[in-house]
Amino acid sequence: MIRKASLLLVGALMGAAAVTTLSQMPINVSVAANAAATDTYRQLNLFGDVFERVRSDYVEVPDDAQLIESAINGMLTSLDPHSSYMSPKSFRDMQVQTRGEFGGLGIEVTMEEGLVKVVSPIDDTPAAKAGVLAGDYITYIDGEQVQGLTLNEAVEKMRGPVNTDIVVTVRRKGSAEPFDITITRDIIRIRSVRWREEDDVGYVRVTQFNEQTFDGLKEGIEEMTANIGDDKLKGFVIDLRNNPGGLLDQAIAVSDAFLDRGEIVSTRGREAEETQRYNARAGDLTNGKPVIVLVNGGSASASEIVAGALQDHRRATILGTRSFGKGSVQTIIPLGANGAIRLTTARYYTPSGTSIQAKGIVPDIESLQDLPEDLVGRVDTKGEAGLRGHLEASEGEEESGSQAYVPSDPKDDNQLNLALDLLRGKQANSAFPPVSDSAAVKN
């Protein structure tokens, strides 16, 4: 049995602000799985023949290392939108980024139809301030066409020295013509958790799941509970809208913060023995206070793990619109001095055994935002189901993604205001507070 140290990733799509985890997870590869059939060796010989023909006959002398890297990346990206090769520099950058501080624009991106697609801009970053929106397609970077580039190559072009400008050409649904947005690169310091007191309600905004997330959540809950007073505190709003995901262990820790027991999430690989289950430990940071979780079409992966766990256990009411629908787990496998590969190795399942792959989390209470006229029809995401080459849903009809707009002024935020009214008893809905029934997870 061969054991390889690897890094487990469930979360942010690869991009200018990708994240990973530094926790260790062994991968077991059987001898039988490694035994290549004769036909496989013939195909590898074919690759060698093509490689040599390119080296000897191409119109210009190619870079051998670049040829090999492109071939590896092509193999991985053909599997699904989330598998890819990382050069040594990209791998180092990813390890830095997960600590919550890095240089860049502040956007989570994926590749769709040969173009860079914005999953979501990160709060308070250059991209967000410049007006980049979820669902935007980046067609040119500093005048260079994106079509034909790999996602990693496009991301590298978006990186650069701090305080330098980059011009991205954006194609936005509803706009007749593409237009340019100038963004000034900066050090992106991700404070993954922010909080504020909404009179008698605690509001917690989680922008992504990095190494700081659980500690930030714990600090925020404790501070607001003390300031508001336990007797006056009506409950908490946990805002996961436009949160693209991040670290699996942090998603588990955040879910555990509200649960006393029961399964949080399970991951299931190709073989039955690869299944892993993660369970809650005793202790609820809120002492059982009511919780409403906000999600939308930009809530992906780790965000969906939290929403799914709290929904299945009837611990929180999920409010908003259908989430992104990324229900797969990626493992980062280091290759020594040659970088790493990011490989989809498992699907994850909510406590009730439901896969949200290409489906998303359906909120208990659907609530749409009122859109400014210039954004009507422009801020909906197709979600995982709209990505070319995505893993198919394990069962049922595919449908994921939805509206991904959050107003900058809380007064205009329909979803937040509805959550506050429900917690204060000003509005009523049969889904709040959640009531255990036959569909709930049994502990």
Side-chain angles (χ1 to χ4, degrees):
M1 195 74 73
I2 302 172
R3 298 175 66 87
K4 295 183 179 180
S6 63
L7 302 172
L8 184 64
L9 169 71
V10 58
L13 304 175
M14 184 61 186
V19 292
T20 186
T21 173
L22 302 180
S23 60
Q24 296 289 319
M25 172 185 173
I27 296 181
N28 299 319
V29 184
S30 67
V31 174
N34 280 329
T38 303
D39 285 347
T40 302
Y41 283 120
R42 289 197 187 100
Q43 295 298 316
L44 289 173
N45 287 335
L46 172 61
F47 171 78
D49 292 342
V50 173
F51 177 72
E52 288 301 328
R53 182 57 60 91
V54 171
R55 292 184 70 211
S56 62
D57 295 349
Y58 187 65
V59 64
E60 296 179 353
V61 178
D63 183 313
D64 289 358
Q66 184 61 46
L67 286 177
I68 295 294
E69 181 175 320
S70 297
I72 294 172
N73 200 48
M75 173 176 63
L76 292 168
T77 56
S78 71
L79 297 172
D80 65 74
H82 310 299
S83 296
S84 63
Y85 170 74
M86 288 180 288
S87 67
K89 181 180 183 302
S90 296
F91 184 37
R92 289 193 301 270
D93 289 345
M94 179 176 283
Q95 291 173 303
V96 170
Q97 289 163 3
T98 189
R99 292 194 286 271
E101 179 174 315
F102 50 89
L105 306 182
I107 52 175
E108 298 288 345
V109 297
T110 187
M111 186 69 80
E112 184 176 303
E113 298 178 357
L115 302 176
V116 173
K117 182 179 181 179
V118 178
V119 174
S120 66
I122 299 171
D123 290 353
D124 299 322
T125 61
K129 293 174 182 176
V132 176
L133 299 176
D136 283 349
Y137 287 89
I138 297 175
T139 58
Y140 287 83
I141 300 172
D142 279 337
E144 181 176 345
Q145 190 173 4
V146 169
Q147 194 91 36
L149 299 178
T150 66
L151 182 59
N152 286 346
E153 289 170 340
V155 167
E156 282 297 317
K157 291 184 180 298
M158 288 188 282
R159 294 185 178 129
V162 172
N163 294 325
T164 60
D165 288 344
I166 179 174
V167 178
V168 295
T169 303
V170 168
R171 192 180 77 197
R172 182 175 292 169
K173 184 179 179 181
S175 294
E177 299 291 337
F179 55 93
D180 291 341
I181 299 178
T182 300
I183 308 173
T184 302
R185 298 180 178 96
D186 199 358
I187 294 295
I188 310 299
R189 294 178 178 88
I190 300 298
R191 183 183 173 190
S192 63
V193 182
R194 290 180 171 84
W195 60 88
R196 65 176 184 263
E197 294 147 28
E198 292 280 351
D199 192 16
D200 52 359
V201 174
Y203 170 83
V204 182
R205 166 78 175 134
V206 183
T207 58
Q208 65 173 243
F209 290 83
N210 62 25
E211 292 179 3
Q212 308 163 13
T213 302
F214 174 74
D215 290 340
L217 176 73
K218 183 174 184 291
E219 181 183 352
I221 288 175
E222 290 176 348
E223 179 181 300
M224 289 187 292
T225 301
N227 290 345
I228 297 173
D230 190 64
D231 56 333
K232 295 181 180 178
L233 182 62
K234 294 291 196 300
F236 291 91
V237 175
I238 309 300
D239 191 349
L240 301 181
R241 293 174 298 178
N242 289 349
N243 180 326
L247 307 182
L248 175 62
D249 64 337
Q250 291 293 306
I252 292 168
V254 168
S255 302
D256 195 2
F258 303 98
L259 297 171
D260 275 318
R261 59 180 179 172
E263 183 176 300
I264 293 172
V265 67
S266 63
T267 61
R268 308 179 193 179
R270 187 163 61 183
E271 305 298 335
E273 60 268 21
E274 295 172 352
T275 298
Q276 296 198 34
R277 301 183 184 277
Y278 301 88
N279 296 307
R281 296 169 295 180
D284 179 345
L285 290 183
T286 70
N287 293 318
K289 292 288 186 182
V291 176
I292 294 179
V293 176
L294 303 182
V295 298
N296 66 7
S299 305
S301 203
S303 298
E304 295 171 295
I305 287 176
V306 174
L310 300 187
Q311 184 181 55
D312 281 3
H313 284 289
R314 302 295 188 265
R315 177 62 187 89
T317 295
I318 312 303
L319 188 154
T321 59
R322 184 190 293 266
S323 64
F324 189 84
K326 181 179 179 293
S328 61
V329 179
Q330 283 68 47
T331 301
I332 307 302
I333 306 173
L335 302 175
N338 297 313
I341 62 173
R342 184 175 193 254
L343 188 66
T344 299
T345 54
R347 297 172 187 257
Y348 70 76
Y349 293 77
T350 69
S352 62
T354 301
S355 169
I356 60 93
Q357 174 62 20
K359 291 183 175 182
I361 298 288
V362 178
D364 302 305
I365 302 175
E366 184 177 35
S367 174
L368 295 173
Q369 298 285 10
D370 294 329
L371 300 178
E373 288 186 8
D374 60 329
L375 293 182
V376 173
R378 302 183 186 183
V379 290
D380 286 0
T381 67
K382 295 181 180 178
E384 181 79 8
L387 298 180
R388 178 176 294 179
H390 68 272
L391 285 178
E392 294 182 357
S394 55
E395 59 182 22
E397 187 176 346
E398 294 187 348
E399 183 180 3
S400 64
S402 64
Q403 190 184 73
Y405 171 69
V406 180
S408 57
D409 188 342
K411 294 179 182 178
D412 300 325
D413 193 336
N414 297 343
Q415 294 163 347
L416 172 59
N417 290 323
L418 175 56
L420 295 175
D421 284 349
L422 288 168
L423 287 166
R424 291 169 179 154
K426 293 181 178 180
Q427 290 200 48
N429 189 290
S430 60
F432 179 82
V435 179
S436 296
D437 58 26
S438 59
V441 176
K442 304 299 182 184
N443 291 314

